[in-house]
Amino acid sequence: MPINVSEIEQRLLAAFPEAKVQVSDLTGTGDHYAATVVTTAFENKTLLERHRLVYAALGDSMKGDIHALALTTRTPDEP
Amino acid sequence: MSQMPEELKQRLEDTIKKERVMLFMKGNPSMPQCGFSAAVVAVLKEVGVPFGTFNILSDQDVREGLKLYSNWPTFPQLYVDGQLVGGCDIVRDMHAKGQLAPLLQAPQG
């Protein structure tokens, strides 16, 4: 089932309640997205760990609906 | 959780360790089939270390198996000394911060 920008944002906010989240559809086809997540939950985590947390938040949609997801993962202190 | 056939698991592990720096990508370095894969190839060439590649478009078993094995849902995937470094975003970010070259060049202790 295709997923849209606001569904992705909702899932990210559910996983990171204090986060600032921004999602955009890169191609207009509902399967290539870019997401920026800024949250203190990323403190002291490597990029790999941060990305794994985001993938976990999106769960099953990573198995089919989302083909590509460009991620920017930062804490509020990071540029 | 579905079981992965032992033969596939072994094949994945052998392929991951085939070269010290191993990129699982869409296409190959002279003809990448995806912008993110092309971007990682460009970064690796800029760092200048030898690297191996595997075209996941040529093998559906490896393509699906590797996602399960490494618990990582997308390609490209870069491995160094058998460890997942990450995808395009992570590789580019590390390179911009000067963290990638030391990782690729130094033998693991």
Side-chain angles (χ1 to χ4, degrees), chain A residues 10-76:
Chain A
Q10 274 163 45
R11 290 199 196 193
L12 292 174
L13 286 169
F16 310 107
E18 322 253 347
K20 277 204 327 223
V21 164
Q22 204 179 349
V23 178
S24 54
D25 184 330
L26 293 174
T27 55
T29 51
D31 56 5
H32 285 61
Y33 288 98
T36 298
V37 184
V38 184
T39 168
T40 53
F42 290 149
E43 257 158 40
N44 300 316
K45 294 204 160 47
T46 65
L47 283 176
L48 205 65
E49 286 163 346
R50 295 178 184 192
H51 286 210
R52 284 201 189 285
L53 286 174
V54 173
Y55 289 144
L58 295 174
D60 275 354
S61 45
M62 289 309 302
K63 294 197 177 138
D65 300 324
I66 300 178
H67 287 223
L69 183 61
L71 289 178
T72 304
T73 52
R74 297 202 312 260
T75 68

Side-chain angles (χ1 to χ4, degrees), chain B residues 15-32:
Chain B
T15 312
I16 287 169
K17 298 195 175 134
K18 194 158 156 282
E19 306 269 346
R20 232 201 106 232
V21 179
M22 192 66 195
L23 176 65
F24 290 80
M25 63 180 290
K26 294 184 176 178
N28 57 55
S30 47
M31 236 174 38

Side-chain angles (χ1 to χ4, degrees), chain B residues 9-55:
Chain B
K9 184 158 172 272
Q10 193 57 57
R11 194 146 65 90
L12 293 175
E13 288 175 346
D14 290 345
T15 312
I16 287 169
K17 298 195 175 134
K18 194 158 156 282
E19 306 269 346
R20 232 201 106 232
V21 179
M22 192 66 195
L23 176 65
F24 290 80
M25 63 180 290
K26 294 184 176 178
N28 57 55
S30 47
M31 236 174 38
Q33 298 290 310
C34 127
F36 299 119
S37 289
V40 174
V41 169
V43 167
L44 292 177
K45 286 185 174 171
E46 203 175 288
V47 172
V49 289
F51 62 95
T53 64
F54 186 93
N55 180 2

Side-chain angles (χ1 to χ4, degrees), chain B residues 6 19 29 60 85 104:
Chain B
E6 191 57 35
E19 306 269 346
Q60 195 61 22
V85 170
L104 299 184

